[in-house]
Amino acid sequence: MKLIGSLTSPYVRKVRIVFSEKKLDVDHVLENVWSPDTIIGQTNPLGKVPCLVLDDGGVIYDSRVIAEYADGLSPVSKLIPADTRDRASVKTWEALSDGIMDAGILARLELTLRPAEQQSQVWVDRQMGKIDTALRQMSEHLGENAWCHGNQMTLADIAVGCAIGYLLLRFPEVKWQTQYPNLDRLYQKLMQRASFVETAPPAA
Ligand code: GSF
């Protein structure tokens, strides 16, 4: 199995952490999807990473599908509960976290890829507003609980950790650590794990 990705993508980090927690071996192949020479289109017509290439040649994307696939490959450290309601709750945490990444990336692309005179501050503010409201909901729903869902680490915590870790990398001006101490406690706890330490993005 081969995972095509980059070291800074929070979606790639999420699935790398899942593979690590599940103790599953996967080869990592680095791909810069923003380079004009990228060959990501040969495996994912959407031109995005992460993209998982199986030994039989099958291809799996996107990160949510890869995470679910990897969780089903081994009974070690179940990250997505079997019960339908619990499963939906964990996957909603994941959608909320991915939504922070989506909004952050859209805001960042607006500010980095477009010439200054074409940039829309209204668009950037809209995306940053989503990040604010998503963080608030994360903090409210986490409350004083040790984990986002249930009494053990799940994909919900992994996804939240990747989303807030991405904010630290790309949006250090978003002060979620002081605004939401419970999210910070969760993040510090996650950062004790080898899976999080080993996938920490290189400094921007
Ligand atoms: C999002 C992947 C994505 O946007 C998922 O896998 O969950 N819903 C998908 N990946 C970015 C890399 S990054 O900014 O994290 C990507 O590959 N973008 C290239 C493009 O052309 O949008």
Short mmCIF file of all heavy atoms in Angstrom, two decimals, residues 62-89:
data_model
loop_
_atom_site.label_atom_id
_atom_site.label_comp_id
_atom_site.label_asym_id
_atom_site.label_seq_id
_atom_site.Cartn_x
_atom_site.Cartn_y
_atom_site.Cartn_z
N ASP A 62 -11.31 10.17 -0.56
CA ASP A 62 -10.39 11.12 -0.02
C ASP A 62 -10.00 10.71 1.40
O ASP A 62 -10.16 9.53 1.74
CB ASP A 62 -10.98 12.54 -0.08
CG ASP A 62 -12.27 12.70 0.71
OD1 ASP A 62 -12.70 11.77 1.40
OD2 ASP A 62 -12.85 13.80 0.67
N SER A 63 -9.58 11.67 2.24
CA SER A 63 -9.04 11.29 3.55
C SER A 63 -10.08 10.57 4.42
O SER A 63 -9.73 9.67 5.17
CB SER A 63 -8.48 12.52 4.28
OG SER A 63 -9.50 13.43 4.64
N ARG A 64 -11.35 10.96 4.29
CA ARG A 64 -12.35 10.29 5.15
C ARG A 64 -12.53 8.84 4.75
O ARG A 64 -12.71 7.97 5.59
CB ARG A 64 -13.70 11.02 5.04
CG ARG A 64 -13.65 12.40 5.63
CD ARG A 64 -15.02 13.01 5.69
NE ARG A 64 -14.90 14.44 5.52
CZ ARG A 64 -15.92 15.29 5.45
NH1 ARG A 64 -17.15 14.86 5.53
NH2 ARG A 64 -15.71 16.58 5.30
N VAL A 65 -12.47 8.59 3.44
CA VAL A 65 -12.63 7.21 2.97
C VAL A 65 -11.39 6.39 3.34
O VAL A 65 -11.48 5.24 3.76
CB VAL A 65 -12.89 7.19 1.44
CG1 VAL A 65 -13.20 5.78 0.97
CG2 VAL A 65 -14.01 8.13 1.07
N ILE A 66 -10.22 7.01 3.19
CA ILE A 66 -8.98 6.30 3.55
C ILE A 66 -8.98 5.97 5.04
O ILE A 66 -8.64 4.85 5.45
CB ILE A 66 -7.74 7.14 3.18
CG1 ILE A 66 -7.68 7.40 1.67
CG2 ILE A 66 -6.46 6.45 3.65
CD1 ILE A 66 -6.58 8.38 1.23
N ALA A 67 -9.38 6.93 5.87
CA ALA A 67 -9.38 6.70 7.32
C ALA A 67 -10.31 5.54 7.67
O ALA A 67 -9.97 4.66 8.47
CB ALA A 67 -9.80 7.98 8.06
N GLU A 68 -11.47 5.53 7.07
CA GLU A 68 -12.43 4.47 7.36
C GLU A 68 -11.92 3.12 6.86
O GLU A 68 -12.05 2.10 7.52
CB GLU A 68 -13.78 4.82 6.72
CG GLU A 68 -14.87 3.88 7.10
CD GLU A 68 -16.26 4.52 6.99
OE1 GLU A 68 -16.38 5.64 6.46
OE2 GLU A 68 -17.21 3.88 7.45
N TYR A 69 -11.31 3.14 5.70
CA TYR A 69 -10.75 1.90 5.13
C TYR A 69 -9.67 1.35 6.06
O TYR A 69 -9.68 0.17 6.41
CB TYR A 69 -10.18 2.19 3.74
CG TYR A 69 -9.49 1.01 3.12
CD1 TYR A 69 -10.21 -0.07 2.62
CD2 TYR A 69 -8.08 0.97 3.03
CE1 TYR A 69 -9.56 -1.17 2.06
CE2 TYR A 69 -7.44 -0.12 2.45
CZ TYR A 69 -8.18 -1.19 1.97
OH TYR A 69 -7.55 -2.27 1.42
N ALA A 70 -8.76 2.23 6.47
CA ALA A 70 -7.66 1.79 7.33
C ALA A 70 -8.19 1.26 8.66
O ALA A 70 -7.70 0.25 9.18
CB ALA A 70 -6.68 2.95 7.57
N ASP A 71 -9.21 1.91 9.19
CA ASP A 71 -9.75 1.45 10.48
C ASP A 71 -10.32 0.04 10.35
O ASP A 71 -10.22 -0.76 11.28
CB ASP A 71 -10.83 2.42 10.98
CG ASP A 71 -11.17 2.15 12.44
OD1 ASP A 71 -10.23 1.94 13.23
OD2 ASP A 71 -12.36 2.15 12.80
N GLY A 72 -10.89 -0.26 9.19
CA GLY A 72 -11.49 -1.58 8.98
C GLY A 72 -10.46 -2.67 8.69
O GLY A 72 -10.77 -3.86 8.75
N LEU A 73 -9.22 -2.28 8.40
CA LEU A 73 -8.22 -3.28 8.01
C LEU A 73 -7.74 -4.11 9.20
O LEU A 73 -7.24 -5.22 9.01
CB LEU A 73 -7.00 -2.59 7.39
CG LEU A 73 -7.12 -2.14 5.93
CD1 LEU A 73 -5.80 -1.52 5.48
CD2 LEU A 73 -7.51 -3.30 5.02
N SER A 74 -7.84 -3.54 10.39
CA SER A 74 -7.32 -4.27 11.56
C SER A 74 -8.16 -3.95 12.78
O SER A 74 -8.67 -2.83 12.92
CB SER A 74 -5.86 -3.85 11.77
OG SER A 74 -5.59 -3.67 13.13
N PRO A 75 -8.31 -4.94 13.68
CA PRO A 75 -9.10 -4.69 14.89
C PRO A 75 -8.31 -3.89 15.94
O PRO A 75 -8.88 -3.44 16.93
CB PRO A 75 -9.39 -6.11 15.41
CG PRO A 75 -8.30 -6.97 14.84
CD PRO A 75 -7.82 -6.31 13.57
N VAL A 76 -7.02 -3.66 15.68
CA VAL A 76 -6.19 -2.91 16.64
C VAL A 76 -6.72 -1.48 16.74
O VAL A 76 -7.00 -0.85 15.72
CB VAL A 76 -4.71 -2.88 16.14
CG1 VAL A 76 -3.87 -1.94 17.01
CG2 VAL A 76 -4.12 -4.26 16.09
N SER A 77 -6.85 -0.97 17.98
CA SER A 77 -7.26 0.42 18.22
C SER A 77 -8.41 0.87 17.31
O SER A 77 -8.22 1.67 16.40
CB SER A 77 -6.10 1.38 17.97
OG SER A 77 -5.01 1.05 18.73
N LYS A 78 -9.58 0.35 17.58
CA LYS A 78 -10.74 0.77 16.76
C LYS A 78 -10.94 2.28 16.90
O LYS A 78 -11.04 2.80 18.01
CB LYS A 78 -12.00 0.04 17.24
CG LYS A 78 -12.41 -1.18 16.44
CD LYS A 78 -12.27 -1.02 14.97
CE LYS A 78 -13.34 -1.60 14.11
NZ LYS A 78 -13.04 -1.40 12.67
N LEU A 79 -10.99 2.97 15.79
CA LEU A 79 -11.08 4.44 15.83
C LEU A 79 -12.47 4.95 15.45
O LEU A 79 -12.79 6.11 15.68
CB LEU A 79 -10.03 5.05 14.90
CG LEU A 79 -8.58 4.75 15.30
CD1 LEU A 79 -7.62 5.23 14.22
CD2 LEU A 79 -8.25 5.41 16.64
N ILE A 80 -13.26 4.09 14.80
CA ILE A 80 -14.63 4.48 14.42
C ILE A 80 -15.57 3.43 15.03
O ILE A 80 -15.43 2.23 14.73
CB ILE A 80 -14.80 4.51 12.89
CG1 ILE A 80 -13.74 5.41 12.24
CG2 ILE A 80 -16.21 4.99 12.53
CD1 ILE A 80 -13.79 5.45 10.72
N PRO A 81 -16.49 3.86 15.90
CA PRO A 81 -17.35 2.88 16.57
C PRO A 81 -18.26 2.15 15.58
O PRO A 81 -18.59 2.69 14.52
CB PRO A 81 -18.18 3.73 17.54
CG PRO A 81 -17.65 5.11 17.49
CD PRO A 81 -16.77 5.24 16.28
N ALA A 82 -18.70 0.94 15.98
CA ALA A 82 -19.57 0.14 15.11
C ALA A 82 -21.01 0.65 15.16
O ALA A 82 -21.71 0.65 14.15
CB ALA A 82 -19.50 -1.32 15.52
N ASP A 83 -21.45 1.08 16.33
CA ASP A 83 -22.83 1.53 16.49
C ASP A 83 -23.12 2.73 15.55
O ASP A 83 -22.31 3.66 15.47
CB ASP A 83 -23.05 1.95 17.95
CG ASP A 83 -24.42 2.58 18.15
OD1 ASP A 83 -25.39 1.81 18.22
OD2 ASP A 83 -24.50 3.82 18.19
N THR A 84 -24.25 2.67 14.88
CA THR A 84 -24.54 3.68 13.84
C THR A 84 -24.55 5.11 14.38
O THR A 84 -23.99 6.02 13.77
CB THR A 84 -25.92 3.38 13.19
OG1 THR A 84 -25.89 2.03 12.75
CG2 THR A 84 -26.19 4.30 12.01
N ARG A 85 -25.18 5.30 15.54
CA ARG A 85 -25.28 6.65 16.11
C ARG A 85 -23.90 7.16 16.54
O ARG A 85 -23.53 8.30 16.29
CB ARG A 85 -26.27 6.63 17.30
CG ARG A 85 -26.47 7.97 17.95
CD ARG A 85 -27.20 8.94 17.00
NE ARG A 85 -27.29 10.28 17.52
CZ ARG A 85 -26.34 11.22 17.42
NH1 ARG A 85 -25.20 10.95 16.82
NH2 ARG A 85 -26.51 12.42 17.92
N ASP A 86 -23.15 6.27 17.21
CA ASP A 86 -21.80 6.65 17.65
C ASP A 86 -20.90 6.96 16.45
O ASP A 86 -20.10 7.89 16.45
CB ASP A 86 -21.15 5.52 18.46
CG ASP A 86 -21.82 5.35 19.81
OD1 ASP A 86 -22.36 6.34 20.34
OD2 ASP A 86 -21.82 4.22 20.32
N ARG A 87 -21.07 6.12 15.45
CA ARG A 87 -20.27 6.29 14.23
C ARG A 87 -20.56 7.66 13.59
O ARG A 87 -19.65 8.40 13.22
CB ARG A 87 -20.69 5.17 13.27
CG ARG A 87 -19.84 4.96 12.10
CD ARG A 87 -20.42 3.77 11.29
NE ARG A 87 -19.51 3.43 10.26
CZ ARG A 87 -18.47 2.61 10.40
NH1 ARG A 87 -18.25 2.01 11.56
NH2 ARG A 87 -17.66 2.36 9.41
N ALA A 88 -21.85 8.00 13.51
CA ALA A 88 -22.22 9.28 12.91
C ALA A 88 -21.67 10.43 13.73
O ALA A 88 -21.25 11.46 13.18
CB ALA A 88 -23.74 9.37 12.78
N SER A 89 -21.65 10.26 15.05
CA SER A 89 -21.14 11.33 15.90
C SER A 89 -19.64 11.54 15.65
O SER A 89 -19.17 12.68 15.48
CB SER A 89 -21.43 10.97 17.36
OG SER A 89 -20.73 11.82 18.19
#
